[in-house]
Amino acid sequence: MDISTAFNLNDDAQLDRLASALSSPIRRKMLRLIGENSYSVLGLSEALNLSMSTTVFHLKFLKEANLVKVLPSPNKRGNEKVVTQGIASALIDFKAAIPYTSSEFVYNVPIGSYTDFDIKAPCGLVNENGLVYMHDNPDVFRTPERFTATLLAFTRGYIEYSVPAFEYRNKQILSFTFSAELCSECPNYNNSWKSDITFWINGREVCTYRSLGDYGDRRGRFPIPHWPANSTQYGMLKKVRIDETGTYLDEKRVSDVTVGMLDLNRADLTTLRIGIKENAHYVGGINLFGKNNGDTDQDIIVQVCYKTN
């Protein structure tokens, strides 16, 4: 799992937890092991030649800093837990405080609230009751039930959302950020099924994320009731940020597209498109997760930061 995050010097509580977690050589060794493979708590204890109580003590610090996740194992009986990687990388911004004030507009976009789409089968919509109507029929994406979707999937094409821009119209935009949980799409699941997933803002391509798989080796943290165990279960939470210096995917700079190129403050709506390009190297489809499904229990979240003076 490749999840990155960023901190600045105002994030005192988070930085304290991170510093405490990393201050121990034992905990750093734990992170090296977990970065290569998932372990049960017992397996981690044996690999480090530690008692269970000592292992649990050190895991507490790593969990509080979000450096690991400790999840129930669906394939084991009793109280066995699986330890997996949380944050894979962290960026600390040491720049001085900015000399102006700013405001942030945050908007939750349910995955079924798209305003345009052009997709190809195989495809499907899923809500808390399971599959919506039949599988592999793009017309299902036009039904009112789409607003209840907690998972949508398609192989080719795109889906587009409209975000109200009234609050930041005619303002100087500092950054535009969105995050979503997603992965590739194939029959059942395949953790090694790659897909090049591209994002557009107001019709301008900003970056492409190469998904490494369609993940189903375990249940997600927020599973759909009665969802088949051999189907897609969770995705990766990806964050795209566009500011005055370029476009960043999980805080890694990936393109030269800047926020000024997006015309965000000139209309009442901003469009966000997610899709697979016809000439993509890996045409491996998309699974897009919404609230009450997958690992993160969130909609698509859009954040716009703009100057107020």
Side-chain angles (χ1 to χ4, degrees), residues 42 63 129 139 196 243 264 305:
L42 176 60
K63 284 176 59 181
N129 298 314
D139 283 338
D196 289 334
D243 64 18
L264 293 170
C305 184

Side-chain angles (χ1 to χ4, degrees), residues 2-193:
D2 183 12
I3 298 178
S4 302
T5 192
F7 303 104
N8 62 50
L9 294 179
N10 293 322
D11 298 321
D12 288 331
Q14 296 95 321
L15 290 173
D16 286 345
R17 287 191 289 268
L18 189 64
S20 295
L22 295 176
S23 65
S24 164
I26 292 176
R27 293 195 283 273
R28 295 196 296 271
K29 188 172 182 179
M30 282 184 171
L31 290 175
R32 288 194 291 270
L33 290 174
I34 297 165
E36 297 175 354
N37 195 14
S38 296
Y39 283 82
S40 67
V41 177
L42 176 60
L44 189 61
S45 175
E46 292 173 345
L48 294 167
N49 195 26
L50 298 173
S51 68
M52 281 288 287
S53 60
T54 301
T55 302
V56 170
F57 170 79
H58 286 291
L59 283 175
K60 177 177 179 292
F61 287 88
L62 298 178
K63 284 176 59 181
E64 289 177 348
N66 295 319
L67 293 174
V68 301
K69 296 179 181 179
V70 182
L71 306 172
S73 173
N75 300 318
K76 302 290 184 180
R77 295 182 179 179
N79 296 319
E80 179 118 31
K81 305 287 186 180
V82 174
V83 184
T84 63
Q85 188 178 64
I87 296 170
S89 62
L91 173 70
I92 301 177
D93 188 349
F94 292 104
K95 293 195 296 287
I98 55 178
Y100 50 80
T101 59
S102 63
S103 291
E104 187 175 65
F105 170 77
V106 180
Y107 196 77
N108 294 321
V109 184
I111 63 167
S113 66
Y114 45 85
T115 51
D116 190 19
F117 70 92
D118 181 8
I119 63 172
K120 305 292 188 300
C123 61
L125 277 178
V126 178
N127 62 19
E128 62 180 4
N129 298 314
L131 193 66
V132 176
Y133 295 115
M134 69 289 293
H135 196 246
D136 293 346
N137 186 340
D139 283 338
V140 171
F141 281 67
R142 304 184 189 280
T143 65
E145 285 85 351
R146 67 189 179 91
F147 291 105
T148 67
T150 59
L151 175 67
L152 63 82
F154 58 92
T155 305
R156 295 172 180 266
Y158 66 84
I159 199 153
E160 186 173 277
Y161 299 87
S162 295
V163 179
F166 307 104
E167 183 170 327
Y168 54 85
R169 185 171 184 179
N170 298 323
K171 301 290 197 305
Q172 183 177 345
I173 310 300
L174 301 172
S175 65
F176 183 94
T177 304
F178 63 91
S179 62
E181 182 179 347
L182 40 71
C183 67
S184 313
E185 159 61 11
C186 71
N188 297 325
Y189 76 89
N190 183 332
N191 280 27
S192 300
W193 187 267

Side-chain angles (χ1 to χ4, degrees), residues 181-248:
E181 182 179 347
L182 40 71
C183 67
S184 313
E185 159 61 11
C186 71
N188 297 325
Y189 76 89
N190 183 332
N191 280 27
S192 300
W193 187 267
K194 295 179 181 178
S195 185
D196 289 334
I197 301 172
T198 299
F199 306 102
W200 294 262
I201 304 295
N202 283 343
R204 178 180 285 272
E205 180 180 333
V206 294
C207 70
T208 295
Y209 159 60
R210 177 161 292 173
S211 169
L212 298 181
D214 179 354
Y215 302 108
D217 56 306
R218 62 167 173 81
R219 291 286 190 184
R221 294 179 61 207
F222 305 94
I224 301 172
H226 314 299
W227 185 242
N230 65 343
S231 296
T232 305
Q233 302 293 332
Y234 66 95
M236 298 295 174
L237 182 64
K238 309 311 293 183
K239 183 178 79 170
V240 177
R241 176 172 58 85
I242 307 100
D243 64 18
E244 296 164 315
T245 65
T247 298
Y248 298 79

Side-chain angles (χ1 to χ4, degrees), residues 294-308:
D295 263 2
T296 53
D297 191 31
Q298 70 161 65
D299 301 312
I300 301 169
I301 298 179
V302 174
Q303 299 166 281
V304 184
C305 184
Y306 58 91
K307 281 187 179 182
T308 54

